[in-house]
Structure formats: C-alpha cells, structure tokens
C-alpha cells in the first residue's frame, strides 16, 4: 500500500520499518517531533499486522486495590492517602478475599492487584493474601504488585528484592503488572515522584523478576512534565532490558490524569498524543510482543481507534477501577465482555480472549479453559 508521507523526515524511518530494521533513539525523537500522525500510525499498523495480523486480545479480569494508604506522596497521584486521612481505606484479608469474588458473573481469568505503600502491612500479610486467593480461586492468575511495591516491601523487611519476589512467587504471585515506571528520567522523577524507586531500580527489579521466571508488563506515564527525549530514553531503556531478559509481555502507555493531583494545573492528554504514544511504542519496542490500549485511561473510543495505530490489546473487563477514577477518569469502571468484543469487531479486528500470558481462552459464562 502506498501511503502518502507528508513529513519527509519520516521517509528514512519508513524504509527501516519496511525492512524490519531497529529504530534508533534519534528516530524515536523524530517520530515524537513529527505531526504526521497518520504516517506514524500507518507505520505502526504495518508492524502490528506483521506481528499479529488482525488478532486483538482482551481478557476478563478484576482489579483489586487492597489499600490506598501510602507513605509516598507522589505529586502525580490522586489515589494514595495518609493513614490518618479519614477517607483512606485498608481492607482486611477477609475483605480482600470477599471483594475478589464480587462484581463479576462471567468467569474471570486474572486478578490485577496493586495498592499503596502501607507502613504497617508486612510481607507475611501479602503472602497470606496471595495464598488465600489461590485457595479460593485456584484457576485465576495473580498479577500483583508494582515494582515500587516490591522495592518498598524489601526496604520495610530489610531483605533483598530477590527474596521478596521469591516469597511472593512461592505464595502464588504469577506475574507483575509493571506499574510505577512513570518516566525513568531522574529530573522528571524528582518532581513527580521523588519518594519512588529510581528508574534504574525499577529496571533492576524487573530484571530480577524475569530472572526468577516471573513475567511482567511495562508501562510509561506520559503527558505531565516529561519531554520527547525523556519518552524515547524510557522506551530505549525498556527495550535494552527486554533484549537481555525477554520477560516483558506487554507495554502499556499510560496517559496522565491530573485531576485531584498536585499537578492538576497540567492539561489532560489529547487524543492525538494518545494515539501517537501507542504508535511510537509499537515502532520502538520491536522486542515487546504486545502493545495495550488501556481503555480506562484512553476512553473506550480512543482505545478502539488505537487498534489501528499499533495496539493489539484493549485490556479487560476490569470490574472496579479506583486509581484513575480518583484522578478524574470519567469512563465506566468496567466493560462487559460483550462490549469489548463489539469494540474490537467494529474496528475490523478479530477478537481473541486471552489469559494474562496471552494464551487463548475458551469459555462458557461460568468456566474457562486456557488453550496451551
Ligand atoms: S503513585 Fe503509588 S507510590 Fe506514589 S503516592 Fe500514589 S500509590 Fe503511593
């Protein structure tokens, strides 16, 4: 197909993409600086279809946010609260196990579990939480804890990250969701999340998880104070780690939601920037199998269009989302399986329900089988 490329600076990039040659840091910056969104989307779609054809994945999952109490006060965050805040909450173990079973009728395949950095919950408590979930829901994959939570558990317990990961894995953690990466630039992190892991520590934690046989996702929070170079640097550092470990399953660009954060003066991202981030991720991360258009952050409408701009996954049913709703997300907290199917089909794509590790799932309403 001969697509008109308006921005002549993209012509050498097009040649590389067509020949399957890896893009450089400078190519990434050129892509971000270009306004030729349709050309960038076309190139990303080329790669997406080369890797996945028309197939578009989704899953039937439930989020669990066990506490919003957090010792960090990241300026980017509307979710974390001080323990003394009367609006904060922390579930008991019984409440976590009970919540896990609520809000869904179609059998779910994954629990996505993340929370704040609670000063009093011990690693034993989290191990018990995982074991209790596995006992009650043995078939459901436990995708749990950001790299930031893992780092905090290690600091709190005065043990290594490796030991934390081993203990969580042995208690039932199957993989990690890959949050807390934000943007790796130290200049940016000092302003938006100065109490968090450094970028290098985030990457090292992911490396250790992968070495222990735990897959993870990876993310980038964009649309705050980062610049184009910061974004490309972030992608290139993820790509370098992936060359070593092959442990990342999917990349999720996360649009910053400023409402109720200390950065509420920053305008929300635009659809143009959202689609560009999806597309550039697909082009730069040539070794990460999947790119996800997370509908909670993008809105289902933009996420659907993203399926033609490089994304091959639209995320899942979610059931109950708190983190981005605290930051002003106005979309529904959940989408039914049928609605995900409709969005994918109306984008001209072929829906495939997957488990967390992208194995196809065959189901009835109340049961499922993972096709290995
Ligand atoms: S972003 Fe995470 S670590 Fe930072 S305040 Fe919010 S919940 Fe805590």
């Amino acid at each position: 197909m001969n697509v008109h490329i308006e921005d002549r600076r993209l012509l050498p990039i097009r040649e590389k993409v067509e020949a399957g040659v890896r893009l450089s840091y400078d190519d990434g910056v050129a892509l971000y600086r270009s306004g030729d969104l349709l050309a960038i989307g076309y190139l990303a779609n080329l790669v997406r279809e080369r890797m996945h054809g028309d197939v578009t994945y989704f899953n039937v999952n439930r989020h669990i946010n066990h506490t919003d109490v957090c010792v960090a006060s990241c300026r980017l965050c509307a979710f974390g609260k001080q323990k003394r805040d009367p609006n904060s909450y922390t579930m008991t173990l019984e409440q976590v196990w009970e919540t896990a079973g609520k809000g869904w009728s179609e059998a779910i395949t994954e629990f996505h579990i993340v929370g704040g950095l609670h000063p009093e919950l011990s690693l034993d408590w989290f191990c018990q939480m995982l074991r209790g979930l596995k006992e009650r829901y043995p078939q459901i994959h436990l995708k749990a804890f950001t790299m930031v939570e893992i780092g905090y558990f290690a600091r709190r317990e005065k043990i290594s990250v490796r030991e934390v990961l081993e203990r969580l894995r042995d208690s039932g953690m199957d993989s990690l969701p890959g949050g807390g990466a934000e943007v790796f630039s130290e200049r940016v992190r000092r302003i938006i999340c100065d109490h968090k892991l450094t970028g290098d520590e985030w990457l090292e934690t992911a490396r250790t998880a992968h070495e222990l046989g735990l897959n993870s996702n990876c993310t980038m929070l964009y649309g705050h104070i980062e610049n184009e170079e910061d974004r490309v640097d972030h992608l290139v550092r993820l790509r370098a780690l992936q060359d070593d470990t092959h442990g990342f399953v999917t990349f999720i660009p996360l649009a910053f939601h400023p409402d109720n954060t200390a950065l509420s003066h920053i305008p929300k991202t635009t659809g143009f920037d959202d689609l560009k981030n999806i597309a550039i991720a697909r082009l730069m991360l040539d070794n990460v199998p999947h790119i996800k258009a997370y509908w909670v952050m993008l809105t289902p409408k933009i996420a659907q269009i993203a399926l033609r701009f490089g994304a091959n996954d639209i995320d899942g049913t979610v059931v109950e989302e708190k983190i981005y709703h605290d930051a002003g997300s106005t979309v529904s907290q959940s989408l039914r399986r049928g609605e995900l199917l409709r969005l994918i089909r109306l984008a001209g794509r072929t829906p495939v329900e997957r488990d967390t590790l992208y194995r196809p799932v065959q189901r009835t309403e109340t049961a499922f089988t993972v096709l290995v």
Side-chain angles (χ1 to χ4, degrees):
M1 185 168 137
N2 205 7
V3 161
H4 177 63
I5 303 239
E6 207 172 276
D7 182 348
R8 313 295 295 168
R9 291 171 304 175
L10 299 182
L11 292 177
I13 296 178
R14 174 192 185 150
E15 271 175 36
K16 282 190 182 177
V17 171
E18 286 176 346
V21 172
R22 173 166 280 192
L23 300 185
S24 66
Y25 173 90
D26 289 342
D27 293 330
V29 174
L31 285 163
Y32 270 118
R33 292 207 174 134
S34 173
D36 198 351
L37 177 64
L38 291 183
I40 297 169
Y42 158 75
L43 294 175
N45 192 50
L46 205 68
V47 177
R48 181 253 202 254
E49 290 188 354
R50 198 185 283 154
M51 293 172 84
H52 302 288
D54 263 335
V55 166
T56 295
Y57 294 99
F58 69 100
N59 72 349
V60 178
N61 63 347
R62 192 205 200 287
H63 285 208
I64 303 172
N65 304 122
H66 43 275
T67 181
D68 64 358
V69 171
C70 189
V71 295
S73 303
C74 302
R75 298 186 79 208
L76 61 83
C77 182
F79 175 70
K81 298 185 181 57
Q82 303 272 323
K83 188 164 174 280
R84 62 173 181 274
D85 186 331
N87 296 320
S88 69
Y89 73 91
T90 301
M91 296 180 190
T92 62
L93 285 173
E94 286 300 335
Q95 284 170 333
V96 173
W97 298 327
E98 201 186 311
T99 301
K102 281 190 193 154
W104 46 275
S105 53
E106 298 157 307
I108 60 172
T109 61
E110 170 194 280
F111 289 131
H112 169 109
I113 307 164
V114 296
L117 311 179
H118 195 294
E120 283 153 23
L121 298 179
S122 66
L123 184 57
D124 273 344
W125 189 89
F126 287 103
C127 291
Q128 244 182 295
M129 174 172 114
L130 296 171
R131 281 196 299 271
L133 287 169
K134 276 289 179 208
E135 269 163 38
R136 289 162 178 79
Y137 313 97
Q139 265 200 298
I140 298 183
H141 182 108
L142 303 183
K143 185 181 77 178
F145 311 124
T146 64
M147 305 303 169
V148 179
E149 289 172 275
I150 301 294
Y152 181 67
F153 299 158
R155 226 174 60 216
R156 196 185 168 283
E157 304 283 328
K158 299 189 177 52
I159 57 174
S160 68
V161 161
R162 182 172 292 268
E163 195 177 330
V164 169
L165 288 164
E166 281 169 348
R167 285 180 54 188
L168 293 170
R169 181 197 60 190
D170 296 346
S171 303
M173 181 174 78
D174 294 303
S175 71
L176 295 97
E182 321 310 1
V183 164
F184 293 142
S185 152
E186 292 312 319
R187 174 186 57 78
V188 173
R189 291 179 96 78
R190 269 197 297 278
I191 297 168
I192 64 168
C193 58
D194 56 343
H195 299 303
K196 265 193 180 155
L197 299 183
T198 64
D200 283 339
E201 286 167 338
W202 190 99
L203 287 161
E204 268 317 296
T205 306
R207 180 189 294 279
T208 308
H210 298 169
E211 283 168 2
L212 292 171
L214 291 160
N215 283 112
S216 78
N217 293 337
C218 50
T219 56
M220 175 176 79
L221 185 76
Y222 65 91
H224 40 90
I225 60 160
E226 85 290 359
N227 59 30
E228 289 139 355
E229 285 86 355
D230 296 326
R231 292 180 183 182
V232 179
D233 170 70
H234 186 94
L235 296 175
V236 167
R237 287 167 78 179
L238 288 174
R239 187 172 74 182
L241 177 60
Q242 179 74 340
D243 277 342
D244 289 348
T245 67
H246 304 287
F248 292 130
V249 181
T250 186
F251 174 76
I252 312 144
L254 300 173
F256 177 56
H257 280 243
D259 290 358
N260 307 319
T261 74
L263 302 172
S264 58
H265 59 284
I266 294 177
K268 291 191 166 107
T269 63
T270 61
F272 193 91
D273 201 23
D274 293 335
L275 290 174
K276 208 166 161 187
N277 271 285
I278 292 274
I280 295 174
R282 181 61 291 162
L283 291 167
M284 293 300 292
L285 297 176
D286 51 14
N287 54 3
V288 175
H290 306 285
I291 303 292
K292 185 186 287 185
Y294 182 35
W295 63 263
V296 172
M297 297 198 91
L298 298 178
T299 74
K301 288 183 179 180
I302 295 284
Q304 185 192 35
I305 298 169
L307 303 180
R308 293 269 159 191
F309 279 75
N312 65 296
D313 189 307
I314 198 167
D315 202 68
T317 47
V318 175
V319 177
E320 188 180 16
E321 202 291 322
K322 293 183 193 295
I323 295 175
Y324 300 109
H325 283 81
D326 281 358
S329 171
T330 52
V331 303
S332 147
Q333 283 210 325
S334 70
L335 283 184
R336 288 189 61 82
R337 189 172 174 277
E339 180 60 9
L340 292 168
L341 287 169
R342 192 178 80 92
L343 287 170
I344 295 168
R345 288 197 180 115
L346 289 179
R349 298 301 198 191
T350 308
V352 173
E353 184 179 340
R354 61 165 176 87
D355 73 349
T356 309
L357 301 176
Y358 287 80
R359 295 171 301 192
V361 165
Q362 224 171 37
R363 70 159 53 243
T364 61
E365 177 104 347
T366 52
F368 66 87
T369 317
V370 175
L371 306 175
V372 186

